[in-house]
Amino acid sequence: MRQDGPVDEFIVRGGRFYAAWRGPLVVVASRRPLVEAALAVRSPALARTWRDRLATLPASPIAAWRSDALITNLVGVPTVAYQIAIEPPRLAGVVVAQFAHAEAAALAAERLRAGAWGSTLAPPQEVVAALARLVVTTRGAELEARFDERTFAGVDLAVMTAWAARLGAPSP
């Protein structure tokens, strides 16, 4: 980790990411200019948007709101956004994905349960086994996938992180 003003740089296997803290919240991005731009915004409308997004986060010590392509690329069904919440020290948590409509959420759930990936970046075998252990439910246009420390038993964190980083990149 390297600190440079209000933005911290984290160097990890396979790349870097940048973060800046604002009270209990943190802005994280793959590029420093994105974090700096987020810190510079002083728009009441944008602030309201983020307050609304953060209000949807599950109560948890570790929670994130995301709009990247990770789940879209995993199941081949476009998501609107998703939230992740993790409860340490057990590493139990939930991913809640919002889809455009209930049929899309049902299709994504069906694909997750069946291991029918919508991605050309097939998961490593140990990740396939772990994803099969997710407890997947839907409520309307929302999909919920619950996990705990047993879900990812036998998964090499570095392998999963590298695969997920490629999966989260925008699709052509």
Side-chain angles (χ1 to χ4, degrees), residues 1-146:
M1 178 185 144
R2 185 174 69 193
Q3 191 170 25
D4 181 14
V7 178
D8 295 329
E9 177 181 25
F10 293 84
I11 302 165
V12 295
R13 187 182 321 173
R16 300 168 191 263
F17 68 91
Y18 301 85
W21 280 256
R22 289 297 174 262
L25 303 175
V26 62
V27 176
V28 179
S30 59
R31 294 182 299 135
R32 182 185 179 97
L34 293 173
V35 174
E36 290 169 338
L39 296 176
V41 173
R42 300 284 186 253
S43 162
L46 189 55
R48 190 172 31 262
T49 296
W50 278 103
R51 274 194 302 276
D52 292 347
R53 287 175 178 170
L54 294 172
T56 67
L57 290 175
S60 175
I62 302 172
W65 182 95
R66 298 184 62 147
S67 62
D68 63 30
L70 191 140
I71 294 175
T72 297
N73 290 344
L74 175 65
V75 296
V77 180
T79 55
V80 174
Y82 62 99
Q83 296 81 40
I84 302 169
I86 300 173
E87 291 287 334
R90 294 184 7 210
L91 296 179
V94 63
V95 175
V96 180
Q98 289 81 39
F99 293 85
H101 47 79
E103 293 79 11
L107 176 59
E110 180 182 313
R111 288 181 177 177
L112 273 175
R113 289 183 192 114
W117 317 114
S119 172
T120 57
L121 296 172
Q125 286 304 69
E126 67 256 33
V127 175
V128 170
L131 293 175
R133 292 188 287 267
L134 291 170
V135 177
V136 179
T137 58
T138 58
R139 284 184 309 278
E142 198 170 83
L143 176 147
E144 184 178 283
R146 294 200 165 273

Side-chain angles (χ1 to χ4, degrees), residues 13-14 66 70 73 121 159-170:
R13 187 182 321 173
R66 298 184 62 147
L70 191 140
N73 290 344
L121 296 172
V159 168
M160 187 166 124
T161 302
W163 171 74
R166 290 189 339 231
L167 193 64

